[in-house]
Amino acid sequence: MPVLSSVKGVQDIMQRYDLHARKGLGQNFLIDQNILTRIADSAEINKDEYVVEIGPGLGALSRELAARGRGLLCIDIDERLKTVLEETLAGYENSRILFRDILKTDIESALIDAFHWKEIVSYKVCANIPYNITTPIIFKLLESCSHLQSATLMMQKEVAERILAHPGSKDYGRLTIATAYYAKVEHVINVSRNCFYPRPEVDSTVLRFIPLQKKMLSPEEEIIFKRILNIFFQQRRKTILNSLTNLFQIDKSTVEEKLQTIDLAPNLRPENLALQDYIILVRAFSQIPHKFC
Ligand code: SAH
């Protein structure tokens, strides 16, 4: 079984398979056994549960996940990894490997096919994802994976800080509010750049997303929510009064009256509003005639 928890082990295996880490694919392989164990443990995978791993790479984390769950589906874009992944996962009969672009893959259909299910059952995701596509991966999981139970994801530390930011701080923004809308987010662990080979230029953080069972807004209100977030954070320094006036193309006085009914001061800036304020704002303003839907 290949040793994947040391620089030497990873270098050897890459040489043996004539592999070169591709920067463009975010290929930085985790080599710290202690961290690998902690990530897999924090995903809380029971013996009867299924896991999806996005970007298994050489399979260091995959092995941990396959050992814990009932079934593991690995999805990686890079077909050059096929032989090494098959070797790493040899003996784990419960694992399946698919070579696809995760952003172009219907994860739930892929699970049904891989395990010959009749219909989708709930599953978890655990992954050290490619950092260049962190945000699209998070939104794909939260917006279109209806049976996802939790996603334990490693990402660039700065992105995690934006997701966990508090109102009023410089990191607080669209990403914080949109992720909070879909999920409860927990900080799991910070991971130094020294735990990877090749060593990346950034540090990392693992977060755990637990999708909320009930949506706070209707599909139509969600469209307005997204429009509001876009315009607000494109013009972060503008007051909510000015941005709302622009967006809805109505009189300032009408916007002011509406804001008064929901107890929000017109001179607030987008970063001062918590998720709950946005929800109330969207519900109130979706009653105004608009052409967004
Ligand atoms: N999980 C491994 C490797 C992480 S590196 C470890 O921790 O060691 C990120 C992985 O994501 C690489 O294997 C890369 O090939 C894969 N990847 C990059 N873009 C992808 C995409 N669009 N879809 C699926 N996998 C992708």
Side-chain angles (χ1 to χ4, degrees):
M1 198 153 73
V3 177
L4 296 172
S5 50
S6 72
V7 172
K8 174 96 178 43
V10 170
Q11 277 174 338
D12 282 352
I13 199 161
M14 290 179 71
Q15 204 170 22
R16 183 143 58 88
Y17 287 97
D18 195 22
L19 288 171
H20 305 275
R22 284 195 191 166
K23 222 179 167 175
L25 293 180
Q27 290 183 344
N28 300 96
F29 305 115
L30 197 48
I31 53 166
D32 186 308
Q33 186 54 47
N34 181 33
I35 301 285
L36 285 162
T37 310
R38 285 185 70 179
I39 296 174
D41 281 348
S42 69
E44 293 182 0
I45 299 149
N46 298 325
K47 279 227 160 327
D48 61 342
E49 285 178 331
Y50 288 84
V51 196
V52 175
E53 184 188 5
I54 301 163
L58 306 175
L61 182 61
S62 325
R63 226 155 39 185
E64 296 291 330
L65 299 172
R68 284 166 175 73
R70 172 145 177 215
L72 168 70
L73 174 63
C74 298
I75 305 175
D76 203 294
I77 200 171
D78 189 357
E79 203 144 353
R80 297 174 317 151
L81 301 168
K82 188 169 190 289
T83 37
V84 59
L85 258 179
E86 281 169 357
E87 188 185 331
T88 313
L89 288 170
Y92 293 100
E93 301 297 327
N94 60 344
S95 60
R96 308 280 181 275
I97 309 167
L98 208 61
F99 290 97
R100 298 251 194 90
D101 180 344
I102 192 67
L103 298 180
K104 295 187 185 142
T105 303
D106 177 333
I107 296 174
E108 302 197 342
S109 305
L111 271 168
I112 292 174
D113 290 347
F115 295 106
H116 308 294
W117 293 342
K118 285 202 187 69
E119 56 182 31
I120 189 72
V121 300
S122 70
Y123 59 94
K124 290 177 174 168
V125 168
C126 182
N128 168 22
I129 56 180
Y131 291 4
N132 54 328
I133 49 172
T134 299
T135 328
I137 289 176
I138 292 174
F139 285 107
K140 182 183 179 86
L141 293 174
L142 297 181
E143 284 177 340
S144 57
C145 293
S146 57
H147 284 68
L148 175 71
Q149 258 194 325
S150 71
T152 305
L153 304 175
M154 175 137 75
M155 63 199 69
Q156 185 175 336
K157 188 163 169 252
E158 287 73 14
V159 177
E161 283 167 353
R162 280 166 53 207
I163 292 173
L164 294 175
H166 294 291
S169 70
K170 72 166 177 24
D171 285 335
Y172 186 77
R174 221 175 350 183
L175 186 61
T176 325
I177 300 158
T179 46
Y181 173 72
Y182 289 109
K184 183 169 137 248
V185 191
E186 297 166 354
H187 178 274
V188 175
I189 186 178
N190 289 336
V191 181
S192 151
R193 64 192 74 185
N194 297 323
C195 298
F196 299 84
Y197 179 83
R199 202 176 91 128
E201 276 145 34
V202 295
D203 290 316
S204 298
T205 296
V206 179
L207 297 183
R208 186 155 181 257
F209 298 79
I210 300 162
L212 301 177
Q213 292 306 314
K214 238 180 118 221
K215 286 277 182 72
M216 288 179 254
L217 299 172
S218 69
E220 187 186 297
E221 288 168 339
E222 279 185 2
I223 293 170
I224 295 165
F225 181 39
K226 284 178 190 163
R227 293 292 291 255
I228 288 184
L229 286 183
N230 279 343
I231 192 148
F232 272 25
F233 286 95
Q234 268 161 23
Q235 315 170 332
R236 242 183 123 92
R237 300 312 314 149
K238 278 199 177 168
T239 61
I240 61 170
L241 171 64
N242 284 336
S243 287
L244 288 167
T245 309
N246 276 346
L247 181 63
F248 286 90
Q249 303 272 305
I250 46 174
D251 293 349
K252 261 193 178 163
S253 57
T254 317
V255 175
E256 268 180 319
E257 275 168 33
K258 204 71 181 161
L259 284 173
Q260 209 164 30
T261 64
I262 53 172
D263 249 355
L264 284 179
N267 62 349
L268 287 171
R269 318 270 162 181
E271 73 257 30
N272 303 125
L273 273 62
L275 172 65
Q276 208 46 45
D277 298 321
Y278 276 97
I279 299 299
I280 293 165
L281 183 81
V282 169
R283 285 190 189 136
F285 278 79
S286 56
Q287 292 156 9
I288 293 175
H290 56 82
K291 299 194 198 75
F292 305 146
C293 306

